[in-house]
Amino acid sequence: MKILIALTAMFFAFNSFSKMITKEVRYKMGDTYYKSQLVFSDKVPTNAPLVLMVPNWRGMTEGSLTKAKKVAANKYIVMLADVYGENVRPKNNDEAKVAATKMRSDVPLLRKATNKAIDILKEEGKKLKANQENIAAIGFCFGGGAVLESARSGKNLKAVVSFHGNLNTPDPKDAKNIKASVLVLNGAIDPAVPKEQIADFEKEMNEAKVDWQFVNFSGAVHSFTNPEANRKGRSEYHPVAAKRSFIMMNNFFDEVFN
């Protein structure tokens, strides 16, 4: 918790000359209501890119909102996406595991919920005069897998970034639908992403001729961008890998968004 407080303090000190605006966005898909959070700076330029952010398995937490603000800075309009539904707010890891497992076991629903959030982000972006062509989706852990599935569904995205996310998918042939450039940021010793999964992902991307990059961070395991992760050797914050990963994401966006 102390690390999270320090990270938050440094972030707001860095952005002391701008005000971060947060707007709750409620919408419906089928019979389920969702409640996402739109985040942007009052200094964000006209024609700014749009970035959907799917959080880790804990969903819509204060920590995820803080991370969304860090991603937005003064450059992007970010929507922290609720893909569970507004009545599902895990209070601990056990509840998060149940919620995430349910979604991962129904990939069509996961894709649909993620893609719906992208459509809502575009609608909100129009009101802010954002660039409707420069759209990215990023995700962390469970969210990393979610945005990769959105790309595999053929969603019209410029860029997709997965931070320590799962790489496996029910049908690797769906990669032929990917329109986005893909950046995967992975912990080199992450026990949740075995070498076999990485090899299968590389084969999947190559066979589909996707524009993709894969980066392994030495010494990093799962959840390396999460200041609250403290399960040694399994799910653990790695400040160096975290810092480098966000720099790589921004450089990637600069290239793809031109």
Side-chain angles (χ1 to χ4, degrees), residues 115-128:
N115 290 345
K116 177 66 174 181
I118 293 168
D119 292 340
I120 296 298
L121 171 60
K122 289 181 68 176
E123 290 177 13
E124 293 295 324
K126 285 181 182 178
K127 302 172 188 176
L128 298 169

Side-chain angles (χ1 to χ4, degrees), residues 169-195:
T169 188
D171 188 356
K173 291 180 182 177
D174 285 348
K176 69 181 184 298
N177 301 318
I178 295 176
K179 300 179 176 70
S181 296
V182 175
L183 173 63
V184 173
L185 302 164
N186 185 66
I189 53 174
D190 184 351
V193 185
K195 292 180 180 179

Side-chain angles (χ1 to χ4, degrees), residues 49-138:
L50 296 168
V51 179
L52 185 86
M53 175 180 152
V54 183
N56 64 23
W57 67 353
R58 289 293 297 271
M60 306 294 289
T61 64
E62 284 301 316
S64 291
L65 184 58
T66 296
K67 188 175 287 185
K69 292 175 181 177
K70 176 181 178 181
V71 171
N74 292 328
K75 295 181 68 175
Y76 312 118
I77 296 168
V78 176
M79 191 167 87
L80 179 63
D82 173 15
V83 296
Y84 290 155
E86 67 176 4
N87 293 324
V88 181
R89 294 291 186 265
K91 299 180 182 64
N92 52 52
N93 285 347
D94 289 337
E95 291 184 6
K97 184 176 181 180
V98 171
T101 300
K102 180 181 178 181
M103 294 298 289
R104 283 294 302 169
S105 65
D106 190 347
V107 169
L109 176 61
L110 178 61
R111 291 179 177 182
K112 189 176 178 181
T114 305
N115 290 345
K116 177 66 174 181
I118 293 168
D119 292 340
I120 296 298
L121 171 60
K122 289 181 68 176
E123 290 177 13
E124 293 295 324
K126 285 181 182 178
K127 302 172 188 176
L128 298 169
K129 299 181 180 179
N131 190 319
Q132 294 290 306
E133 301 298 322
N134 284 344
I135 306 173
I138 69 173

